[in-house]
């Protein structure tokens, strides 16, 4: 290696070592003053002993890479894992933790292959498609877990080597590039925010800094909408807001960025900024559906005496089904919907699942039985099921002909099987003929549901069918495609028979 390059690398390493020493001082401060998270271990702020230069070089030689200089300096002069954001840092030997999880095969040169990821990738479920057979995670190593399916990676090869990214094994969204330029900046931000008492739940998302830095971004006409949106959301992590920020906060609802307006409403709820309530009423008519939805939640919290009527208007008039359903659920939770509202929703409202949940609100009485019976044949299965449950609770005998008629011509689906099984709770002998038919002719799940109902009713006409099913020593198959249960048909029928009030049926289970 030429002397000039060697001197350059030495200078860079010295800079990184100085950064590591500053970080170690901050870590000592945090360790001395910070109360460990109850979910974390007592050694939350302890580092694992560092690696030697030779050990790092051996790892690099094995994988044909040069680790980013700042991360390299951390491993050698600070620690090989331990104290770190969320659940801490892994040691270097767990570099493949995420790849082992999401990749079928990992080639020997996986770390050396350039990572194809880049900031600003489309936030769409099919984000991975452009990469084809190339793994988006090649050229990255695992830094640690953020819980569940979420982990933190460090890019070690490719144009964005040195950047920290957040990944999700479920891959619903592309990896998130944290705003810090390298590992040490990301790590030091964690310590700085701990010392300032910032909330750590969403650590690493959005820009770092406090109120001053966030307002600088929001006031910058050159900053893009995504960055401004993240800056507005970042107020949420602060332990408190200054009087000046509270005074200025309503102006953010006038931003041209829908993300800024939406995140402003979320932050207002956290800090209970009642001064924002009059402005939140205005954005109930915002052009952005997400802003309108957040305004519903915010108005409910900040203006409990003023929010019902404006939100009721959204329930009936908003063109976005998610906003309408949000209005419904919040009004329902607040018990601000009366029977005429709920009846109107059940009979005329199309959005989402509101009609099913409107039935589930429990406002109906015996006089509403005809309406509920009508909805047993609704086009939405959720509505069918809620109507059936309501009728069961009402104990309306007049529902039986409608249920029998439904079961006589209904195709097999999940609701059909629920209806079949629920007949056992009714104890009505009038349903037995149709249950016997389903126990003979339905698919495996329908036969089991019908047999369960027959056993609960205790009708002895089920005995021959039960005897045949008790000889079926195989798991039930749904539509003859796949097994849906670990137990055999015989075992499941036996369990139903054991609960029968009829001793002759119970005897079959022995």
């Amino acid at each position: 290696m030429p002397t000039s390059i060697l001197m350059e690398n030495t200078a860079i390493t010295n800079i990184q070592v100085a950064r590591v020493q500053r970080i170690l001082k901050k870590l000592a401060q945090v360790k001395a003053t910070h109360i460990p998270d109850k979910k974390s271990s007592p050694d939350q702020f302890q580092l694992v002993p560092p690696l030697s230069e030779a050990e790092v070089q051996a790892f690099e030689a094995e994988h044909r890479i040069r680790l980013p200089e700042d991360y390299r300096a951390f491993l050698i002069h600070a620690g090989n894992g331990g104290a770190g954001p969320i659940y801490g840092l892994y040691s270097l030997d767990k570099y493949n933790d995420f790849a082992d999880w999401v990749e079928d095969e990992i080639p020997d040169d996986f770390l050396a292959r350039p990572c194809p990821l880049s900031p600003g990738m489309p936030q769409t479920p099919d984000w991975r498609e452009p990469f084809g057979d190339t793994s988006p995670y090649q050229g990255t190593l695992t830094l640690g877990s953020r819980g569940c399916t979420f982990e933190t990676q460090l890019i070690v090869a490719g144009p964005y080597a040195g950047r920290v990214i957040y990944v999700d094994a479920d891959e619903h969204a592309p990896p998130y590039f944290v705003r810090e330029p390298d590992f040490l900046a990301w790590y030091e931000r964690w310590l700085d925010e701990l010392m300032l008492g910032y909330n750590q739940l969403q650590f690493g998302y959005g820009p770092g800094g406090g109120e001053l830095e966030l307002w600088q971004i929001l006031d910058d006409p050159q900053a893009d909408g995504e960055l401004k949106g993240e800056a507005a959301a970042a107020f949420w992590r602060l332990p408190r807001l200054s009087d000046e920020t509270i005074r200025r906060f309503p102006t953010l609802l006038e931003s041209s960025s829908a993300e800024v307006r939406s995140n402003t409403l979320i932050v207002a709820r956290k800090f209970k900024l009642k001064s924002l309530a009059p402005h939140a009423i205005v954005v109930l008519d915002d052009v952005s559906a997400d802003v309108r939805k957040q305004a519903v939640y915010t108005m409910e919290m900040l203006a409990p005496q003023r929010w019902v009527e404006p939100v009721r208007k959204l329930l009936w008039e908003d063109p976005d089904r998610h906003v309408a359903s949000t209005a419904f659920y919040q009004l329902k939770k607040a018990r601000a919907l009366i029977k005429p509202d709920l009846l109107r929703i059940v009979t005329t409202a199309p959005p989402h699942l509101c009609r099913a949940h409107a039935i589930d609100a429990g406002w109906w009485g015996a006089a509403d039985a005809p309406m509920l019976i009508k909805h047993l044949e609704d086009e939405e299965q959720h509505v069918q099921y809620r109507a059936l449950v309501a009728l069961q609770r009402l104990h309306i005998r007049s529902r039986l002909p409608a249920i029998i008629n439904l079961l006589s011509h209904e195709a097999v689906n999940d609701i059909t099987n629920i209806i079949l099984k629920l007949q056992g709770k009714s104890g009505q002998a009038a349903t037995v003929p149709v249950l016997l038919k389903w126990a003979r002719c339905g698919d495996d799940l329908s036969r089991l549901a019908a047999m369960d109902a027959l056993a609960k009713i205790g009708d002895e006409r089920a005995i021959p069918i039960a005897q045949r099913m008790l000889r079926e020593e195989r798991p039930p198959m749904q539509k003859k495609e796949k097994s849906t249960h670990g137990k055999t048909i015989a075992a499941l029928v036996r369990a139903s028979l054991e609960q029968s009030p009829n001793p002759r049926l119970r005897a079959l289970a022995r």
Side-chain angles (χ1 to χ4, degrees):
M1 181 180 295
T3 305
S4 60
I5 297 178
L6 179 61
M7 291 178 63
E8 182 181 350
N9 284 340
T10 303
I12 291 173
T13 301
N14 287 340
I15 292 171
Q16 308 304 354
V17 170
R19 294 175 68 192
V20 170
Q21 291 173 342
R22 183 174 70 242
I23 281 172
L24 290 175
K25 289 180 181 178
K26 290 184 178 182
L27 181 60
Q29 286 181 265
V30 169
K31 184 178 178 181
T33 60
H34 196 78
I35 299 174
D37 190 305
K38 292 180 180 178
K39 297 180 181 179
S40 303
S41 61
D43 59 352
Q44 180 181 2
F45 302 117
Q46 295 284 352
L47 286 169
V48 174
L51 298 175
S52 67
E53 174 77 33
E55 288 172 316
V56 171
Q57 288 180 350
F59 179 88
E60 293 173 327
E62 178 185 356
H63 297 283
R64 289 168 276 178
I65 61 168
R66 171 81 175 185
L67 292 172
E69 294 299 328
D70 65 316
Y71 179 60
R72 200 173 189 279
F74 186 90
L75 291 172
I76 296 171
H77 298 282
N80 181 28
I86 316 298
Y87 292 106
L89 299 178
Y90 287 157
S91 55
L92 189 59
D93 60 3
K94 294 190 70 175
Y95 71 95
N96 250 5
D97 188 79
F98 188 72
D100 285 337
W101 191 356
V102 299
E103 300 293 342
D104 294 330
E105 295 183 9
I106 303 174
D108 292 339
D109 62 343
F110 190 76
L111 289 187
R113 297 185 178 189
C115 177
L117 298 171
S118 61
M121 290 180 294
Q123 297 291 309
T124 56
D126 59 351
W127 65 269
R128 187 167 175 164
E129 286 185 10
F131 301 120
D133 295 333
T134 299
S135 168
Y137 309 112
Q138 68 182 33
T140 75
L141 60 78
T142 304
L143 290 175
S145 169
R146 294 185 298 118
C148 298
T149 59
F150 305 101
E151 294 206 344
T152 304
Q153 300 288 106
L154 177 68
I155 299 177
V156 295
Y160 292 96
R163 294 291 295 274
V164 174
I165 57 174
Y166 291 165
V167 294
D168 177 7
D170 285 341
E171 298 189 331
H172 296 310
Y176 176 81
F177 277 69
V178 303
R179 294 283 179 175
E180 285 64 46
D182 57 31
F183 167 82
L184 286 183
W186 170 77
Y187 192 92
E188 190 166 9
R189 172 181 168 179
W190 170 62
L191 295 171
D192 289 339
E193 293 190 0
L194 279 174
M195 289 189 286
L196 292 169
Y198 288 6
N199 189 296
Q200 294 289 301
L201 185 62
Q202 293 292 318
F203 169 73
Y205 285 97
E211 289 181 317
L212 177 62
E213 291 79 11
L214 298 178
W215 280 116
Q216 285 175 343
I217 294 170
L218 290 164
D219 291 336
D220 183 0
Q222 303 302 317
D224 62 56
E226 180 183 355
L227 178 57
K228 287 190 174 186
E230 288 187 345
F235 283 103
W236 187 90
R237 68 175 180 247
L238 306 181
R240 64 193 65 82
L241 299 181
S242 68
D243 292 341
E244 177 63 13
T245 285
I246 293 173
R247 183 189 67 78
R248 292 191 60 188
F249 224 60
T251 64
L252 296 180
L253 292 179
E254 300 171 7
S255 170
S256 60
S257 166
E259 191 174 359
V260 169
R261 301 194 301 275
S262 181
N263 288 334
T264 296
L265 292 164
I266 294 172
V267 174
R269 293 201 297 275
K270 182 201 173 180
F271 291 102
K272 298 180 174 60
L273 302 181
K274 292 187 177 182
S275 60
L276 203 76
H279 307 274
I281 289 179
V282 174
V283 292
L284 282 171
D285 293 324
D286 197 273
V287 294
S288 164
D290 187 63
V291 174
R292 297 197 301 276
K293 186 169 71 172
Q294 294 301 334
V296 171
Y297 294 123
T298 303
M299 283 299 301
E300 179 192 10
M301 172 182 285
L302 303 183
Q305 306 304 320
R306 302 170 57 190
W307 76 285
V308 171
E309 288 311 313
V311 172
R312 190 190 299 272
K313 181 180 178 184
L314 289 183
L315 173 62
W316 301 116
E317 300 179 8
D318 200 287
D320 187 274
R321 66 173 190 166
H322 298 294
V323 176
S325 61
T326 298
F328 167 77
Y329 293 128
Q330 296 310 110
L331 289 166
K332 179 174 175 281
K333 185 178 76 171
R335 299 184 179 180
L337 293 173
I338 57 178
K339 180 173 179 177
D341 294 322
L342 294 164
L343 185 59
R344 181 182 173 188
I345 292 169
V346 172
T347 55
T348 66
H352 202 37
L353 300 180
C354 289
R355 292 189 303 128
H357 286 273
I359 292 176
D360 200 40
W363 47 269
W364 23 257
D368 300 303
M371 180 273 297
L372 294 171
I373 290 172
K374 178 182 176 182
H375 281 87
L376 289 176
E377 299 191 66
D378 192 274
E379 61 184 13
E380 292 188 26
Q381 291 188 14
H382 291 279
V383 174
Q384 292 178 27
Y385 175 67
R386 296 297 179 180
L388 177 70
V389 171
L391 287 166
Q392 294 281 0
R393 291 175 182 170
L394 285 173
H395 302 291
I396 302 297
R397 293 183 65 85
S398 61
R399 75 184 186 274
L400 286 175
I403 292 173
I404 292 171
N405 180 61
L406 178 68
L407 291 174
S408 296
H409 68 265
E410 181 72 23
V412 178
N413 58 43
D414 293 339
I415 299 302
T416 305
N417 295 336
I418 294 172
I419 292 174
L420 287 167
K421 198 164 186 176
L422 282 175
Q423 298 320 298
K425 294 183 179 179
S426 71
Q428 299 295 325
T431 61
V432 169
V434 75
L435 289 173
L436 289 169
K437 173 187 172 184
W438 279 96
R440 294 189 191 97
C441 306
D443 73 358
D444 287 349
L445 297 186
S446 298
R447 290 192 300 132
L448 286 165
M451 179 54 65
D452 186 78
L454 288 165
K456 286 185 171 64
I457 293 172
D459 195 291
E460 293 185 5
R461 284 175 285 180
I463 289 177
I465 303 173
Q467 289 172 330
R468 286 196 296 272
M469 294 180 74
L470 285 169
R471 293 194 290 271
E472 297 186 48
E473 295 292 344
R474 63 175 178 81
M477 311 290 283
Q478 186 171 28
K479 298 179 182 178
K480 299 181 179 181
E481 293 175 358
K482 60 182 180 179
S483 174
T484 59
H485 206 289
K487 296 183 179 180
T488 65
I489 290 175
L492 294 167
V493 169
R494 194 172 293 113
S496 294
L497 294 171
E498 288 172 349
Q499 304 301 315
S500 178
N502 187 315
R504 291 194 63 194
L505 288 171
R506 286 201 306 274
L508 295 175
R510 298 177 189 142

